[in-house]
Amino acid sequence: MNGPTESTPPPVEWTVRPLEERPLAGVVAILVIGLLGVLVWLAAGDWIWGVLSVLLLLATISRFLMRSRVAIGSEGIVAEFPLVTRRIPWERVARIRYDARAALVRTDRRRLLGREVTILFGPRQEDALRALRRWAPAGTLPASDGTDP
């Protein structure tokens, strides 16, 4: 069976646009990156190094500048970021911590080898938290009194 049934609710899906939610931070980030590019150009003595540094810095903040799609469902979490897609089945989730704006999903129980993925809630905070509480494995979310499992 590929689609949701009456017993399995459909996944909660949303799009996150951080640049649109925080345009002033975006303008400041782009101005700082441009300034750093000019400084690299002047220090290196060749414009190509300035351009390469700007491109590298823009790539590092691509999740802020571009849209990301997130889906939380019975199979796990799918996060489509600008440069990569992360599929996290519930079996791999070790812990989830969240606040009002985002969730930090840790995917391995081994401390040094674990991977963490940040999922921004955007405008769907209540729906995202409801989906996490519905489908996340027991012991991965903080208890309702705020204590860790």
Side-chain angles (χ1 to χ4, degrees), residues 97-135:
R97 294 184 182 204
Y98 62 88
D99 62 16
R101 296 181 54 191
L104 180 67
V105 181
R106 185 165 184 82
T107 61
D108 196 338
R109 297 188 192 285
R110 289 175 278 171
R111 191 162 193 78
L112 295 176
L113 299 177
R115 293 186 67 166
E116 296 178 339
V117 177
T118 302
I119 306 296
L120 298 176
F121 298 145
R124 304 279 310 265
Q125 175 200 7
E126 291 178 17
D127 295 334
L129 289 174
R130 194 174 306 116
L132 284 174
R133 289 185 189 109
R134 177 185 299 138
W135 285 305

Side-chain angles (χ1 to χ4, degrees), residues 12 14 69-73 75-81 85-89 119:
V12 175
W14 68 94
R69 291 189 183 101
V70 181
I72 300 175
E75 300 293 319
I77 300 170
V78 177
E80 297 175 11
F81 302 123
T85 297
R86 302 267 190 240
R87 287 174 174 52
I88 308 168
I119 306 296

